[in-house]
Amino acid sequence: MARNSQAILLALFVCLIGFDHQHSLVVEANFWDTTFINWGAHHASVYNNGDDMQLVLDKSAGSGIESKKEYLFGSVEMQIKLVSGNSAGTVTAYYLSSKGDKHDEIDFEFLGNVSGKPYIMHTNVFAEGVGNKEQQFYPWFDPTTDFHNYTIHWNPSEIVWFIDGIPIRVFRNYEFLGIKYPNKQGMKAYSSLWNADDWATRGGLDKIDWNKAPFSARLRKFSPRACTWFGQGSISYCNSKDKWYTSSEYSSLNEAQKGQMKWVRDKFVIYDYCKDSKRFNWNMPRECSLQQF
C-alpha cells in the first residue's frame, strides 16, 4: 500500500511538472517547432535542422515569421545577424505583439543605413494600442558581421531590452499611477525583413538600392523562456509569485546591470522621447519623471 501511495504521489508530481512546463517555461531553439512563416514564404528558409533561418527581401516582397504560441511574461531571445552592406531603407524587426486595435507590443527594430554608416536600433512599447515611447541607439558593434543576442525580458515589474546580456533600456510598471502597462494580453513573437524606405533611413531620404538585392537577415536560436498564454486565466497564473521571473532578483536591475546600462545610455542613445519636449509641447508623458532603473 505504501509503495502504491508513493507511485500515485510521483505520478501527480510528474503531472504538475508537465503542466508548469506547458504553461510557464518553454525553452526551445527550433524554428520548425516554435514558429511559422506568416508572409513571403518564397523568401524565407529554415536550415541547420531547424535551428537557423534566413529572411529575404527583394523588390517583389519581404518575409516574416511568428511564434506558434502566445506568451505573458518571461524572456524571449533571438540571435540575429543583420543585412550587410548598403541596407538603407530596409528594416529588420524583432518584437512581441498581441492582436487588435488595443494591442500590446514590445519592439526591437533595426533601421538600415548606407554603407559605412551605423544601423539605428529602434525600441518602443505599446499598451492597449498606445505607443509613442520611442528610444533609439547606435550599436557599439557591427551587427552585420556576426550574430548577437537580442532579448526582451518582460515581467509584472518591468520590461528590459538586452543586447548580448547588456541592458539598454527599462520600462517599469507604474500602472498604479494610471500609466498603461502591457500585462493583460498574450503576445506572439515576430521577426520580419521589409521595405520601409519611405521613412526608415534619414526620414525616407535614402531609398533602397535594388541593385544590391536580394537582402538577407539571418536568425538563430529563438528561445522563449516564458509563460504560455492559455486564455484569461493566464493573467493570474502568469503573475503568480512562484514564477522565476517574478522573483525579487528580476524585479529590478542589479548594480552591475545599472552600470552597464548607464554606459550604453551615456554613449549610444540618439533619441529619447522623454527628452523631446517640443514633440509633446512641454507636456511630457508622466513616466518620464519617474525612476526607470
Side-chain angles (χ1 to χ4, degrees):
M1 182 66 69
R3 287 184 179 179
N4 288 340
S5 298
Q6 289 175 350
I8 292 170
L9 288 172
L10 179 61
L12 288 171
F13 179 69
V14 169
C15 288
L16 287 171
I17 290 176
F19 178 85
D20 190 64
H21 176 79
Q22 179 183 0
H23 291 292
S24 181
L25 183 61
V26 181
V27 181
E28 298 169 299
N30 188 293
F31 286 100
W32 288 127
D33 295 338
T34 58
T35 70
F36 63 92
I37 300 169
N38 59 358
W39 66 288
H42 60 298
H43 280 58
S45 57
V46 179
Y47 57 101
N48 192 22
N49 296 318
D51 290 338
D52 293 77
M53 186 160 202
Q54 178 175 251
L55 301 177
V56 172
L57 166 69
D58 64 19
K59 203 165 186 177
S60 66
S63 50
I65 60 169
E66 68 179 86
S67 63
K68 294 179 179 178
K69 295 179 180 179
E70 296 174 288
Y71 306 102
L72 182 66
F73 303 138
S75 283
V76 182
E77 305 180 22
M78 183 92 79
Q79 294 184 21
I80 305 174
K81 185 178 179 181
L82 298 178
V83 175
S84 61
N86 186 350
S87 57
T90 71
V91 170
T92 304
Y94 167 53
Y95 61 101
L96 305 178
S97 182
S98 62
K99 303 288 188 181
D101 294 336
K102 294 189 175 183
H103 73 295
D104 292 344
E105 184 173 327
I106 307 169
D107 295 338
F108 267 116
E109 288 186 303
F110 306 96
L111 314 185
N113 220 325
V114 296
S115 297
K117 301 293 184 180
Y119 264 81
I120 291 176
M121 303 187 298
H122 178 96
T123 65
N124 202 358
V125 56
F126 290 74
E128 297 180 29
V130 179
N132 301 320
K133 296 174 174 59
E134 303 91 344
Q135 291 185 3
Q136 295 181 336
F137 308 77
Y138 283 137
W140 54 94
F141 52 89
D142 185 344
T144 71
T145 58
D146 204 353
F147 288 90
H148 292 269
N149 183 298
Y150 302 91
T151 297
I152 297 170
H153 181 76
W154 165 46
N155 65 24
S157 300
E158 63 183 8
I159 301 164
V160 187
W161 291 254
F162 289 92
I163 300 177
D164 293 333
I166 296 174
I168 67 168
R169 178 180 180 182
V170 171
F171 184 82
R172 292 195 60 80
N173 183 355
Y174 288 110
E175 194 174 39
F176 68 95
L177 295 176
I179 299 166
K180 294 183 184 299
Y181 186 82
N183 58 6
K184 297 178 181 66
Q185 300 185 67
M187 295 197 279
K188 286 189 172 186
Y190 297 84
S191 186
S192 58
L193 174 59
W194 49 289
N195 174 3
D197 72 0
D198 59 331
W199 66 270
T201 307
R202 292 204 306 143
L205 293 177
D206 294 320
K207 303 297 184 181
I208 291 179
D209 181 357
W210 293 113
N211 292 320
K212 301 294 193 298
F215 304 96
S216 66
R218 297 178 184 272
L219 314 177
R220 177 178 290 175
K221 294 184 179 179
F222 170 58
S223 302
R225 298 189 302 123
C227 190
T228 303
W229 175 266
F230 57 92
Q232 290 299 304
S234 307
I235 295 173
S236 59
Y237 179 81
C238 296
N239 266 285
S240 61
K241 300 299 184 182
D242 62 344
K243 302 295 184 287
W244 67 270
Y245 51 80
T246 58
S247 67
S248 58
E249 179 183 356
Y250 295 98
S251 64
S252 62
L253 300 184
N254 60 38
E255 292 306 311
Q257 289 173 324
K258 289 177 182 178
Q260 289 176 324
M261 193 164 78
K262 184 179 185 304
W263 172 76
V264 171
R265 301 191 68 80
D266 286 348
K267 292 182 176 293
F268 302 105
V269 172
I270 57 174
Y271 178 80
D272 183 350
Y273 77 107
C274 280
K275 296 182 179 180
D276 193 346
S277 54
K278 291 184 179 179
R279 174 184 176 184
F280 297 101
N281 196 25
W282 299 95
N283 185 24
M284 303 304 293
R286 189 173 182 185
E287 68 269 12
C288 293
S289 63
L290 302 170
Q291 179 182 356
Q292 289 298 327
F293 66 96

